[in-house]
């Protein structure tokens, strides 16, 4: 009987010994935070400088924090990789690498202007990285520049402030990208809030609504003689240099000239415009704070 009891004690100890390696699989990694900034990207150095400026702003706000970048545009990533000028990572690759490097919590901040297709894809990517075995314990996602109704009010104010004073018959036209995605609704919403502050401030998009065709008759009605052209995008890259300020006859500048309206392009991205960059920084602050929201 005593032998049998000893046998069971041995069996119990053996089970414990076999269970031990399983315990070693527990997640003992120390908490390690990082920020991942995600932009559409830019193939032009003139565009990339806006992202560099924002990078410096974030580093000043979060000294000592690991800060990395990912670009959502595969076309632009491939272009730079082929030219060997840089090797930008996709959001998926950057998140995988952060986990691999031992980071446990990541605040992802979108540098998109509106929650359109690029941001929707980023949301999907982030969702797929949540709860991945041995992956990141927590990922928060900061919203694009204009997402909530308050965002749009703040953006309208910051955009006008950053343009300072204008001549009496000088309009300001903010050129957005535009998209068939429902997020395009942020552009007419911004137009509404701009008009509450300044009747000669307009939004015109390249691929969405409102278009420049929508704005031209309004410029005539407002007796506008000149206009400032400002990219409503994080960077002043290809769209700003060509679709907005370019010499081709279908550029915004050429089409305004054809109507007798002289234009002055402002080749500065919103990510390098301090009053607007501050709004993105506030979204990031919320994403970093949310890393602490729930027990890990
Ligand atoms: Co485009």
């Amino acid at each position: 009987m005593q032998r049998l009891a000893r046998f069971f004690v041995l069996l119990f100890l053996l089970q414990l010994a076999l269970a031990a390696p399983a315990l070693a699989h527990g997640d003992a990694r120390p908490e390690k935070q990082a920020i991942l900034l995600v932009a559409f990207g830019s193939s032009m150095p003139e565009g990339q400088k806006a992202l560099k400026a924002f990078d410096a702003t974030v580093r000043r706000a979060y000294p000592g924090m690991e800060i990395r970048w990912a670009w959502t545009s595969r076309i632009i990533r491939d272009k730079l990789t082929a030219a060997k000028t840089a090797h930008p990572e996709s959001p998926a690759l950057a998140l995988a690498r952060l986990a691999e490097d031992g980071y446990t919590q990541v605040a992802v901040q979108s540098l998109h202007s509106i929650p359109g297709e690029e941001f929707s894809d980023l949301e999907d990517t982030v969702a797929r990285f949540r709860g991945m075995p041995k992956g990141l314990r927590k990922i928060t996602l900061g919203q694009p520049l204009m997402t909530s109704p308050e965002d749009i009010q703040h953006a309208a104010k910051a955009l006008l402030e950053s343009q300072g004073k204008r001549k009496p018959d000088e309009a300001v036209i903010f050129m957005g990208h535009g998209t068939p995605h429902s997020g395009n609704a942020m552009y007419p919403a911004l137009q509404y809030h701009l008009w509450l502050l300044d009747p000669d401030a307009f939004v015109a998009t390249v691929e969405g609504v409102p278009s420049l065709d929508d704005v031209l008759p309004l410029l005539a009605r407002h007796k506008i003689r000149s206009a400032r052209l400002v990219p409503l995008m994080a960077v002043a890259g290809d769209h700003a240099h060509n679709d907005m300020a370019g010499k081709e006859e279908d550029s915004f500048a050429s089409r305004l000239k054809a109507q007798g309206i002289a234009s002055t392009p402002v080749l500065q991205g919103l990510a390098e415009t301090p009053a607007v960059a501050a709004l993105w920084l506030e979204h990031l602050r919320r994403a970093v704070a949310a890393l602490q929201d729930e027990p890990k």
Side-chain angles (χ1 to χ4, degrees):
M1 197 57 206
Q2 223 188 346
R3 280 184 67 144
L4 196 65
R6 218 178 294 158
F7 172 74
F8 277 113
V9 168
L10 265 174
L11 197 66
F12 176 69
L13 287 174
L14 187 68
Q15 269 175 336
L16 268 187
L18 287 173
L23 288 174
H25 282 218
D27 193 346
R29 291 174 298 166
E31 191 175 295
K32 223 173 140 186
Q33 290 189 352
I35 286 171
L36 178 63
L37 301 172
V38 182
F40 180 78
S42 180
S43 57
M44 297 175 79
E46 296 91 326
Q48 289 154 17
K49 81 178 188 354
L51 303 180
K52 288 196 182 107
F54 191 73
D55 181 86
T57 303
V58 174
R59 281 175 205 280
R60 271 195 303 275
Y62 295 93
M65 177 84 102
E66 179 71 11
I67 293 156
R68 298 189 185 181
W69 281 85
W71 290 5
T72 56
S73 168
R74 173 179 280 271
I75 295 171
I76 292 177
R77 290 199 311 269
D78 288 352
K79 216 168 165 179
L80 293 200
T81 303
K84 294 188 167 66
T85 49
H87 192 112
E89 292 182 349
S90 66
L93 187 54
L95 286 169
R97 217 184 279 280
L98 280 164
E100 208 56 29
D101 293 347
Y103 291 90
T104 58
Q105 294 166 299
V106 179
V108 179
Q109 178 58 50
S110 150
L111 278 169
H112 302 108
S113 306
I114 56 142
E117 216 171 288
E118 297 294 318
F119 180 70
S120 172
D121 287 352
L122 177 61
E123 275 182 311
D124 283 353
T125 302
V126 165
R128 280 162 170 75
F129 272 84
R130 287 193 176 119
M132 197 176 281
K134 298 172 191 176
L136 300 165
R137 284 191 207 126
K138 182 142 190 177
I139 315 172
T140 56
L141 178 55
Q143 299 296 303
L145 180 66
M146 295 180 284
T147 304
S148 72
E150 295 76 35
D151 286 342
I152 297 164
Q153 269 178 288
H154 294 155
K157 197 164 168 276
L159 287 168
L160 290 175
E161 262 173 27
S162 50
Q163 286 310 308
K165 285 244 175 298
R166 303 194 312 272
K167 288 175 275 169
D169 58 357
E170 186 185 30
V172 57
I173 303 173
F174 296 100
M175 187 199 70
H177 194 282
T179 170
H181 189 279
S182 62
N184 187 84
M186 300 306 160
Y187 296 113
L190 174 67
Q191 177 64 86
Y192 171 77
H193 281 287
L194 285 171
W195 274 337
L196 292 181
L197 301 169
D198 182 339
D200 292 338
F202 300 89
V203 177
T205 65
V206 184
E207 293 174 22
V209 175
S211 66
L212 189 60
D213 283 325
D214 297 323
V215 171
L216 288 177
L218 302 175
L219 297 177
R221 206 184 300 162
H222 288 229
K223 300 194 166 40
I224 295 302
R225 307 297 309 153
S226 64
R228 253 184 243 180
L229 295 175
V230 183
L232 189 59
M233 301 176 186
V235 307
D238 196 35
H239 282 299
H241 283 84
N242 297 309
D243 298 315
M244 191 183 86
K247 298 238 179 296
E248 303 74 28
E249 61 177 34
D250 59 348
S251 74
F252 276 30
S254 301
R255 293 177 63 199
L256 288 169
K257 197 174 161 196
Q259 304 291 317
I261 299 170
S263 62
T264 313
V266 178
L267 291 167
Q268 185 184 50
L270 298 183
E272 59 189 323
T273 302
V276 183
L279 302 178
W280 263 306
L281 200 65
E282 171 57 20
H283 287 193
L284 171 63
R285 191 196 60 73
R286 277 184 239 159
V288 171
L291 286 176
Q292 307 298 339
D293 271 0
E294 303 158 25
K296 288 149 300 259

